[in-house]
Amino acid sequence: MKYALVNPHWTFDGSIYFGCPEPHLPLEYGYAKQLLEDEGHEVLLVDGLLEHLSREEVRSRVADFAPDFTVITTAPSYLFWRCAQPELRVPQETAADLRDIGGTLIGVGPHGSSTPVITLKKLGVDLLVMGECEEVLPQLAQREAWSFVPGIVYYGQDRNIKVQGGPQAADMDRLPALRWPESLVRRHDHHHHRFDNHPQAPGAEMETSRGCPYHCSFCAKDNFRDGYRRRPLTTVLEELDGLIAQGVEYIYFIDEIFLPKRELLEALVTRPVKFGIQTRIDLWKPDMIDLLGQAGCVSIEAGVESISEEGRALLDKNCKLSTEALAERLVHAKKTVPFVQATLMESRADDPDAVEAWRSYLMEKGVWANKPVPLFAYPGSPDYRKRWGMPDDQAWERAHAAYLEQFDEFSDIQSERPLLLSALERAVPISRIPEDQR
């Protein structure tokens, strides 16, 4: 069978999206491509963002390939599944563009993992994968076997929507060391969240683990990348060495939480590569912070979220350190890591003047602390369930409307007044909805 894996050329005009708009390696497609090829399938990866392809050029690539299946993601890469844009405008447009030439259309991503039925309808695809998709896609090659595949929602032969099982989690021991084409690596000149130096060579993204053992109320990971799992160290180093051999000088580890692991850091010390991470500084003791810097870390994004113990408790951070101790560790990290950020969120528990005083103190010590970011209650997150219960077909619209109503100021990385979700999304592609369900 022939599979086309399509990452659209993303745009976020009018969106509340606060992720990075630059292109990143689509790790989920990288794994899927290798697993599919291992089973004898032919695979075309089309990255509209990284390859700067127009909608017409994406369509042309897919048409020339003539796939049996075309996979369309609803978020730019795994890095942003946990903070995806609420609207489905771009994947809807992509599905419409490829409807007549893409074979069976398959959706993957965070939206369908949290709200599968309405996402299937909105996208106008034939099937959605719930959760992590790499190991599910090869099982879809035989249409007659779909009734035995867990973690999918699709239109059955009777034209009714069938939901089978729940979100899937990949076995990290089965996922291979990724190999990327030279052409894609050469195009990857973005160094995600790096501020110490201008790129001189390509950057890349990797993961050493997936998931997180914590359950912060704002995090939308319950339906994908939830349980904490490490990749085998030998696999991580094989992939890393391959990227270094391709000329990559900077890696951003997309792990939800990059936890201290001495064996990995000691392996990084000996390799000519810099890297950035997201983590919790309360989990790093001073000696491991020093080793992190020696290993080549040049960027730490540390989720502090709130400057008060009350605020962190409201967000279910389960943090054992005081605010003073957190600041001490951040300042310690700045001694060996060029860029250290304390990430703050709008907890509604912190005094604004106290927040500004804390930010000023850290910035005097060289640690960046952002203005608190307004929280969006992602469907599937604990915050959403606390407010409205389990997500239904109006979950994204409800959370989006509440967000716009609650906040009249947005973060310094949201460039404009966001539009309503209904204004951002296309009308539901009626042609893919059976007549009896219109």
Short mmCIF file of all heavy atoms in Angstrom, two decimals, residues 53-89:
data_model
loop_
_atom_site.label_atom_id
_atom_site.label_comp_id
_atom_site.label_asym_id
_atom_site.label_seq_id
_atom_site.Cartn_x
_atom_site.Cartn_y
_atom_site.Cartn_z
N LEU A 53 5.90 24.67 1.07
CA LEU A 53 5.03 24.30 -0.05
C LEU A 53 3.69 25.01 0.08
O LEU A 53 3.11 25.09 1.16
CB LEU A 53 4.80 22.79 -0.05
CG LEU A 53 6.04 21.90 -0.16
CD1 LEU A 53 5.64 20.43 -0.07
CD2 LEU A 53 6.78 22.17 -1.47
N SER A 54 3.17 25.49 -1.03
CA SER A 54 1.83 26.05 -1.06
C SER A 54 0.81 24.92 -1.02
O SER A 54 1.15 23.74 -1.20
CB SER A 54 1.63 26.88 -2.32
OG SER A 54 1.66 26.02 -3.46
N ARG A 55 -0.46 25.27 -0.85
CA ARG A 55 -1.50 24.25 -0.88
C ARG A 55 -1.52 23.52 -2.23
O ARG A 55 -1.70 22.31 -2.30
CB ARG A 55 -2.87 24.89 -0.61
CG ARG A 55 -3.05 25.35 0.82
CD ARG A 55 -4.33 26.16 1.00
NE ARG A 55 -5.53 25.42 0.68
CZ ARG A 55 -6.76 25.93 0.73
NH1 ARG A 55 -6.92 27.21 1.09
NH2 ARG A 55 -7.81 25.19 0.45
N GLU A 56 -1.30 24.27 -3.29
CA GLU A 56 -1.29 23.67 -4.62
C GLU A 56 -0.11 22.71 -4.78
O GLU A 56 -0.23 21.63 -5.40
CB GLU A 56 -1.21 24.76 -5.69
CG GLU A 56 -2.45 25.64 -5.80
CD GLU A 56 -2.58 26.64 -4.64
OE1 GLU A 56 -1.55 26.90 -3.96
OE2 GLU A 56 -3.69 27.13 -4.41
N GLU A 57 1.03 23.09 -4.21
CA GLU A 57 2.21 22.22 -4.32
C GLU A 57 2.04 20.95 -3.48
O GLU A 57 2.49 19.87 -3.88
CB GLU A 57 3.47 23.00 -3.90
CG GLU A 57 3.87 24.06 -4.91
CD GLU A 57 4.96 24.99 -4.37
OE1 GLU A 57 4.93 25.32 -3.16
OE2 GLU A 57 5.82 25.39 -5.18
N VAL A 58 1.42 21.07 -2.31
CA VAL A 58 1.14 19.87 -1.51
C VAL A 58 0.23 18.94 -2.29
O VAL A 58 0.47 17.72 -2.38
CB VAL A 58 0.50 20.26 -0.16
CG1 VAL A 58 -0.04 19.01 0.55
CG2 VAL A 58 1.50 20.99 0.73
N ARG A 59 -0.81 19.50 -2.86
CA ARG A 59 -1.76 18.68 -3.65
C ARG A 59 -1.04 18.00 -4.82
O ARG A 59 -1.26 16.82 -5.09
CB ARG A 59 -2.90 19.56 -4.15
CG ARG A 59 -3.87 18.81 -5.07
CD ARG A 59 -5.01 19.70 -5.55
NE ARG A 59 -5.68 19.11 -6.70
CZ ARG A 59 -6.63 18.19 -6.64
NH1 ARG A 59 -7.03 17.76 -5.46
NH2 ARG A 59 -7.18 17.68 -7.73
N SER A 60 -0.18 18.75 -5.49
CA SER A 60 0.53 18.19 -6.64
C SER A 60 1.43 17.03 -6.23
O SER A 60 1.47 15.99 -6.91
CB SER A 60 1.36 19.30 -7.31
OG SER A 60 2.09 18.77 -8.39
N ARG A 61 2.15 17.19 -5.11
CA ARG A 61 3.02 16.11 -4.63
C ARG A 61 2.20 14.84 -4.35
O ARG A 61 2.59 13.74 -4.71
CB ARG A 61 3.72 16.55 -3.34
CG ARG A 61 4.79 17.62 -3.51
CD ARG A 61 6.17 17.02 -3.73
NE ARG A 61 7.18 18.06 -3.65
CZ ARG A 61 7.89 18.32 -2.56
NH1 ARG A 61 7.69 17.60 -1.48
NH2 ARG A 61 8.79 19.28 -2.57
N VAL A 62 1.08 15.04 -3.65
CA VAL A 62 0.26 13.89 -3.27
C VAL A 62 -0.36 13.26 -4.52
O VAL A 62 -0.40 12.03 -4.67
CB VAL A 62 -0.83 14.30 -2.26
CG1 VAL A 62 -1.78 13.14 -1.97
CG2 VAL A 62 -0.18 14.78 -0.95
N ALA A 63 -0.83 14.09 -5.45
CA ALA A 63 -1.45 13.56 -6.67
C ALA A 63 -0.45 12.72 -7.47
O ALA A 63 -0.79 11.65 -7.98
CB ALA A 63 -1.98 14.71 -7.51
N ASP A 64 0.78 13.19 -7.57
CA ASP A 64 1.80 12.45 -8.32
C ASP A 64 2.08 11.09 -7.68
O ASP A 64 2.40 10.12 -8.36
CB ASP A 64 3.10 13.26 -8.40
CG ASP A 64 2.97 14.47 -9.31
OD1 ASP A 64 2.00 14.52 -10.09
OD2 ASP A 64 3.83 15.36 -9.25
N PHE A 65 1.97 11.03 -6.35
CA PHE A 65 2.26 9.80 -5.61
C PHE A 65 1.10 8.81 -5.71
O PHE A 65 1.30 7.60 -5.65
CB PHE A 65 2.54 10.16 -4.14
CG PHE A 65 2.94 9.01 -3.27
CD1 PHE A 65 4.12 8.30 -3.51
CD2 PHE A 65 2.15 8.63 -2.19
CE1 PHE A 65 4.50 7.24 -2.69
CE2 PHE A 65 2.52 7.58 -1.36
CZ PHE A 65 3.69 6.89 -1.61
N ALA A 66 -0.13 9.33 -5.87
CA ALA A 66 -1.34 8.50 -5.98
C ALA A 66 -1.47 7.51 -4.82
O ALA A 66 -1.45 6.29 -5.01
CB ALA A 66 -1.36 7.77 -7.32
N PRO A 67 -1.61 8.01 -3.60
CA PRO A 67 -1.61 7.11 -2.43
C PRO A 67 -2.93 6.36 -2.27
O PRO A 67 -3.98 6.78 -2.74
CB PRO A 67 -1.42 8.08 -1.26
CG PRO A 67 -2.06 9.35 -1.72
CD PRO A 67 -1.77 9.43 -3.21
N ASP A 68 -2.85 5.25 -1.53
CA ASP A 68 -4.06 4.56 -1.09
C ASP A 68 -4.60 5.23 0.18
O ASP A 68 -5.80 5.23 0.41
CB ASP A 68 -3.73 3.09 -0.78
CG ASP A 68 -3.21 2.36 -1.99
OD1 ASP A 68 -4.01 2.16 -2.93
OD2 ASP A 68 -2.02 2.01 -2.00
N PHE A 69 -3.70 5.77 1.00
CA PHE A 69 -4.06 6.45 2.24
C PHE A 69 -3.30 7.77 2.34
O PHE A 69 -2.11 7.83 2.03
CB PHE A 69 -3.70 5.61 3.47
CG PHE A 69 -4.35 4.25 3.51
CD1 PHE A 69 -3.70 3.14 2.99
CD2 PHE A 69 -5.61 4.10 4.07
CE1 PHE A 69 -4.29 1.90 3.02
CE2 PHE A 69 -6.21 2.85 4.10
CZ PHE A 69 -5.55 1.75 3.58
N THR A 70 -4.00 8.80 2.79
CA THR A 70 -3.33 10.07 3.09
C THR A 70 -3.62 10.43 4.54
O THR A 70 -4.78 10.48 4.96
CB THR A 70 -3.81 11.19 2.16
OG1 THR A 70 -3.41 10.89 0.82
CG2 THR A 70 -3.20 12.53 2.57
N VAL A 71 -2.56 10.66 5.29
CA VAL A 71 -2.67 11.00 6.71
C VAL A 71 -2.47 12.51 6.87
O VAL A 71 -1.50 13.07 6.34
CB VAL A 71 -1.63 10.24 7.55
CG1 VAL A 71 -1.82 10.53 9.03
CG2 VAL A 71 -1.74 8.73 7.28
N ILE A 72 -3.38 13.15 7.60
CA ILE A 72 -3.32 14.60 7.83
C ILE A 72 -3.32 14.84 9.33
O ILE A 72 -4.19 14.33 10.05
CB ILE A 72 -4.52 15.30 7.18
CG1 ILE A 72 -4.55 15.03 5.67
CG2 ILE A 72 -4.48 16.82 7.46
CD1 ILE A 72 -5.85 15.45 5.01
N THR A 73 -2.37 15.62 9.81
CA THR A 73 -2.29 15.90 11.24
C THR A 73 -3.04 17.19 11.58
O THR A 73 -3.13 18.10 10.74
CB THR A 73 -0.82 16.00 11.69
OG1 THR A 73 -0.78 16.25 13.10
CG2 THR A 73 -0.09 17.12 10.96
N THR A 74 -3.54 17.27 12.81
CA THR A 74 -4.28 18.47 13.22
C THR A 74 -3.44 19.40 14.08
O THR A 74 -3.96 20.37 14.64
CB THR A 74 -5.56 18.10 14.00
OG1 THR A 74 -5.21 17.46 15.23
CG2 THR A 74 -6.46 17.20 13.17
N ALA A 75 -2.13 19.13 14.22
CA ALA A 75 -1.22 20.03 14.93
C ALA A 75 0.14 19.93 14.26
O ALA A 75 0.48 18.90 13.69
CB ALA A 75 -1.12 19.67 16.41
N PRO A 76 0.95 20.99 14.32
CA PRO A 76 2.18 21.04 13.51
C PRO A 76 3.17 19.92 13.78
O PRO A 76 3.82 19.45 12.86
CB PRO A 76 2.78 22.40 13.88
CG PRO A 76 1.62 23.23 14.32
CD PRO A 76 0.70 22.27 15.01
N SER A 77 3.35 19.50 15.01
CA SER A 77 4.26 18.40 15.33
C SER A 77 3.98 17.96 16.75
O SER A 77 3.26 18.63 17.50
CB SER A 77 5.73 18.81 15.19
OG SER A 77 6.14 19.57 16.31
N TYR A 78 4.58 16.83 17.16
CA TYR A 78 4.39 16.35 18.53
C TYR A 78 4.71 17.44 19.56
O TYR A 78 4.13 17.49 20.64
CB TYR A 78 5.30 15.15 18.79
CG TYR A 78 4.62 13.81 18.77
CD1 TYR A 78 5.33 12.65 18.47
CD2 TYR A 78 3.27 13.67 19.06
CE1 TYR A 78 4.73 11.40 18.46
CE2 TYR A 78 2.65 12.43 19.05
CZ TYR A 78 3.38 11.30 18.75
OH TYR A 78 2.77 10.06 18.74
N LEU A 79 5.66 18.31 19.23
CA LEU A 79 6.06 19.36 20.16
C LEU A 79 4.87 20.21 20.60
O LEU A 79 4.84 20.72 21.72
CB LEU A 79 7.14 20.24 19.51
CG LEU A 79 7.65 21.45 20.29
CD1 LEU A 79 8.18 21.04 21.67
CD2 LEU A 79 8.73 22.15 19.49
N PHE A 80 3.87 20.32 19.70
CA PHE A 80 2.76 21.23 20.00
C PHE A 80 1.42 20.51 20.16
O PHE A 80 0.38 21.16 20.16
CB PHE A 80 2.68 22.31 18.92
CG PHE A 80 3.95 23.11 18.84
CD1 PHE A 80 4.79 22.98 17.76
CD2 PHE A 80 4.32 23.94 19.87
CE1 PHE A 80 5.99 23.67 17.71
CE2 PHE A 80 5.51 24.64 19.84
CZ PHE A 80 6.36 24.51 18.75
N TRP A 81 1.43 19.20 20.29
CA TRP A 81 0.17 18.52 20.57
C TRP A 81 -0.41 18.98 21.90
O TRP A 81 -1.62 19.06 22.06
CB TRP A 81 0.40 17.00 20.62
CG TRP A 81 0.39 16.33 19.30
CD1 TRP A 81 0.92 16.79 18.13
CD2 TRP A 81 -0.16 15.04 18.98
NE1 TRP A 81 0.75 15.89 17.12
CE2 TRP A 81 0.09 14.80 17.61
CE3 TRP A 81 -0.81 14.07 19.73
CZ2 TRP A 81 -0.32 13.63 16.97
CZ3 TRP A 81 -1.22 12.90 19.09
CH2 TRP A 81 -0.97 12.69 17.73
N ARG A 82 0.44 19.30 22.87
CA ARG A 82 -0.06 19.66 24.20
C ARG A 82 -0.48 21.12 24.29
O ARG A 82 -1.00 21.54 25.33
CB ARG A 82 0.97 19.33 25.26
CG ARG A 82 2.37 19.91 25.03
CD ARG A 82 3.35 19.33 26.04
NE ARG A 82 4.71 19.82 25.89
CZ ARG A 82 5.66 19.21 25.19
NH1 ARG A 82 5.38 18.10 24.55
NH2 ARG A 82 6.88 19.70 25.15
N CYS A 83 -0.25 21.90 23.27
CA CYS A 83 -0.73 23.29 23.25
C CYS A 83 -1.15 23.66 21.83
O CYS A 83 -0.77 24.70 21.32
CB CYS A 83 0.32 24.26 23.79
SG CYS A 83 1.88 24.24 22.88
N ALA A 84 -1.94 22.79 21.22
CA ALA A 84 -2.32 22.98 19.82
C ALA A 84 -3.26 24.17 19.64
O ALA A 84 -3.92 24.61 20.59
CB ALA A 84 -3.02 21.72 19.31
N GLN A 85 -3.31 24.68 18.43
CA GLN A 85 -4.28 25.72 18.09
C GLN A 85 -5.68 25.10 18.17
O GLN A 85 -5.88 23.96 17.75
CB GLN A 85 -3.99 26.29 16.70
CG GLN A 85 -4.47 25.48 15.52
CD GLN A 85 -3.84 24.10 15.36
OE1 GLN A 85 -2.77 23.85 15.85
NE2 GLN A 85 -4.54 23.22 14.64
N PRO A 86 -6.67 25.81 18.73
CA PRO A 86 -8.01 25.22 18.84
C PRO A 86 -8.68 24.97 17.48
O PRO A 86 -9.45 24.02 17.34
CB PRO A 86 -8.80 26.25 19.65
CG PRO A 86 -7.77 27.06 20.37
CD PRO A 86 -6.59 27.10 19.44
N GLU A 87 -8.43 25.83 16.54
CA GLU A 87 -9.16 25.74 15.27
C GLU A 87 -8.57 24.68 14.35
O GLU A 87 -7.38 24.40 14.38
CB GLU A 87 -9.15 27.10 14.55
CG GLU A 87 -7.83 27.50 13.93
CD GLU A 87 -6.86 28.13 14.92
OE1 GLU A 87 -7.20 28.19 16.11
OE2 GLU A 87 -5.77 28.54 14.49
N LEU A 88 -9.45 24.12 13.50
CA LEU A 88 -9.05 23.08 12.54
C LEU A 88 -8.98 23.61 11.12
O LEU A 88 -8.98 22.83 10.17
CB LEU A 88 -10.04 21.91 12.62
CG LEU A 88 -9.99 21.07 13.89
CD1 LEU A 88 -11.18 20.11 13.95
CD2 LEU A 88 -8.69 20.30 13.97
N ARG A 89 -8.90 24.91 10.97
CA ARG A 89 -8.99 25.51 9.63
C ARG A 89 -7.98 24.91 8.65
O ARG A 89 -8.36 24.47 7.55
CB ARG A 89 -8.76 27.02 9.72
CG ARG A 89 -8.86 27.72 8.36
CD ARG A 89 -8.39 29.17 8.49
NE ARG A 89 -7.01 29.23 8.91
CZ ARG A 89 -6.49 30.20 9.65
NH1 ARG A 89 -7.25 31.19 10.06
NH2 ARG A 89 -5.21 30.19 9.98
#
